[in-house]
Structure formats: C-alpha cells, structure tokens
Amino acid sequence: MLDSLQERKVYEGILLQIHQIVQEKNLRPGDKLPSERELSEQLGAGRSSVREALRALELLGLIETRRGEGTFLKHYRHNRLIDILGFFILRDYKTKKDLIEMRRILELDAVRMACRRAAAKHFEEMERILAAAEERIGQGEIPTEEDYQFHRVICRSSRNSILHRIWAPLVEYSDSVRSESLSREGRARSAVNEHRQIMEAIRAGDEEKAVERMKKHLENSKL
C-alpha cells in the first residue's frame, strides 16, 4: 500500500515537473519536448517513471511520439481528455445543464469586453468565418466548425486569456448540443444571420445591443 502510494506521488510529481518545463520554455503545440533521457536527468527520476508519465500524456493525446524524431506537444483541442471527461460528465443531466449555463455567463461577458477591446483583425476573422459558413450552407452542409470559430473569436477579442481558456473546454463538452441545434431546419442560416448582427453590434461598440443579440442567439440555439 505504501509502495503504491509512493509510486503514485513520484508519477504525479513527474507530470507536474514536465508541465513546469513546458511553461518555463514557453513551448507551444508542435514544439519538441526534451528526450526521455534528458527528462530523467533534469528531474532526477528513473527513466521507467518518466516513460510511464509520457505514456499517460500520449494516451490523453497531449503529446505525440514520432519515430526517429522525438516527442512533441499537441494542441489541447485535439486531446482525449475532453472526450474521456465528457463521456462521464455529460451522462448527468444536472451537470450538462450547469455547463450550458456557465457557457452563457462567459459568452455574455465576452461580448461585453469585445465591444471595448475588439480590433480590426478580429472583425476580419469574423467576416472570413461568416463567409465560410455561408459557403458550407450553400453546399448543403452544417457549419459546426465555423459556429465554434465565430464564438471563439469573440472570446479572444475580449483579450482575457483566462476567460478563453475556461470557455474552450466548456464548448467542447457541449459540442453535441451545438451540432443538434444547427441540424434543425433553417437553423444554420438563422445562426449565421444572428452572428452577423452580433458582430455589427460589437463593431459599433454597443454593449447593450451586442449582449441582447447574443442572449437571443443563445436562446435560439437552445444553449
């Protein structure tokens, strides 16, 4: 029992130290991690323990090993953690309801801040996303990814990195709700029009109108 507890503490410590290395080196998705041997030396831990920690990160999709090249960070949106947690969390109706409620709170605050902080680059990106969504609808497809990207730009334009980091996994959890909503007859087209109205209110710096339009959009989206 004590040996098992000790092993777990070593394992958890290695994961925390790897996270610290990523932060200190300011590593980004696609960047290479130190080798297993280098990590073992830096952390003062056995290679078998380091190997187990890396294997766990790889199973979650947080890193990838390329034969003959090394180990690289992957983008957090591509990891399995969201899928694994979502499978258990979204089985509970109350939790699912709370997640959607939390997303509403974040989106309305994001749109308020965007009215004051959004820059030309954000509006250019919104325009590109809306055009791509229109094209997908014209081809008879559902613009699920464009819907995600539009809301993401608003969160980014709030210039609050913590808000964006909290928002992203919440939207991943509620992905099935979003897809179901956009699949309703005529909803995809209406959603794009609502997005455009929200964008214009943000561009005008009209917080009251932007919040009201976002609130209506989320209600129509059943979010």
Side-chain angles (χ1 to χ4, degrees), residues 10 31 38 45 50 55 78 104-105 111 120 141 175 177 187 193 196 199 207-208:
V10 170
D31 289 346
E38 289 169 333
V50 170
R55 189 174 297 158
H78 299 150
R104 285 189 186 191
I105 292 168
V111 87
E141 299 173 1
D175 182 64
V177 180
R187 178 59 201 152
N193 292 334
R196 191 169 294 283
M199 178 186 69
E207 283 187 43
E208 188 177 341

Side-chain angles (χ1 to χ4, degrees), residues 87-144:
F87 175 78
F88 292 102
I89 290 173
L90 293 182
R91 291 167 72 89
D92 175 48
Y93 173 76
K94 174 70 167 62
T95 304
K96 187 174 181 178
K97 185 170 172 288
D98 288 348
L99 283 169
I100 292 171
E101 190 175 82
M102 188 62 194
R103 179 186 169 181
R104 285 189 186 191
I105 292 168
L106 291 174
E107 296 250 7
L108 295 179
D109 276 341
V111 87
R112 282 190 186 94
M113 288 186 275
C115 286
R116 295 172 239 156
R117 301 174 182 176
K121 64 178 182 179
H122 297 120
F123 295 116
E124 288 169 11
E125 194 171 351
M126 287 182 205
E127 292 281 10
R128 282 197 300 272
I129 292 166
L130 291 174
E134 291 279 10
E135 188 177 340
R136 300 253 338 239
I137 292 169
Q139 294 170 351
E141 299 173 1
I142 299 170
T144 310

Side-chain angles (χ1 to χ4, degrees), residues 53-194:
L54 291 174
R55 189 174 297 158
L57 292 173
E58 188 162 21
L59 284 170
L60 289 172
L62 294 167
I63 62 172
E64 66 174 330
T65 302
R66 301 175 196 163
R67 190 178 294 277
E69 294 183 53
T71 304
F72 299 82
L73 280 182
K74 290 182 72 174
H75 196 286
Y76 74 91
R77 278 200 70 206
H78 299 150
N79 71 56
R80 298 290 317 284
L81 188 58
I82 297 298
D83 295 335
I84 294 166
L85 290 177
F87 175 78
F88 292 102
I89 290 173
L90 293 182
R91 291 167 72 89
D92 175 48
Y93 173 76
K94 174 70 167 62
T95 304
K96 187 174 181 178
K97 185 170 172 288
D98 288 348
L99 283 169
I100 292 171
E101 190 175 82
M102 188 62 194
R103 179 186 169 181
R104 285 189 186 191
I105 292 168
L106 291 174
E107 296 250 7
L108 295 179
D109 276 341
V111 87
R112 282 190 186 94
M113 288 186 275
C115 286
R116 295 172 239 156
R117 301 174 182 176
K121 64 178 182 179
H122 297 120
F123 295 116
E124 288 169 11
E125 194 171 351
M126 287 182 205
E127 292 281 10
R128 282 197 300 272
I129 292 166
L130 291 174
E134 291 279 10
E135 188 177 340
R136 300 253 338 239
I137 292 169
Q139 294 170 351
E141 299 173 1
I142 299 170
T144 310
E145 179 62 20
E146 288 77 11
D147 181 87
Y148 169 86
Q149 292 297 339
F150 182 83
H151 286 266
R152 181 171 175 264
V153 175
I154 291 177
C155 283
R156 281 177 41 229
S157 69
S158 73
R159 298 180 186 269
N160 186 309
S161 61
I162 302 300
L163 184 149
H164 180 250
R165 287 178 68 181
I166 294 171
W167 174 87
L170 286 180
V171 177
E172 292 288 345
Y173 286 137
S174 57
D175 182 64
S176 59
V177 180
R178 187 170 74 255
S179 298
E180 185 182 330
S181 171
L182 289 170
S183 298
R184 287 180 288 141
E185 182 68 33
R187 178 59 201 152
R189 179 77 62 186
S190 298
V192 171
N193 292 334
E194 289 164 14

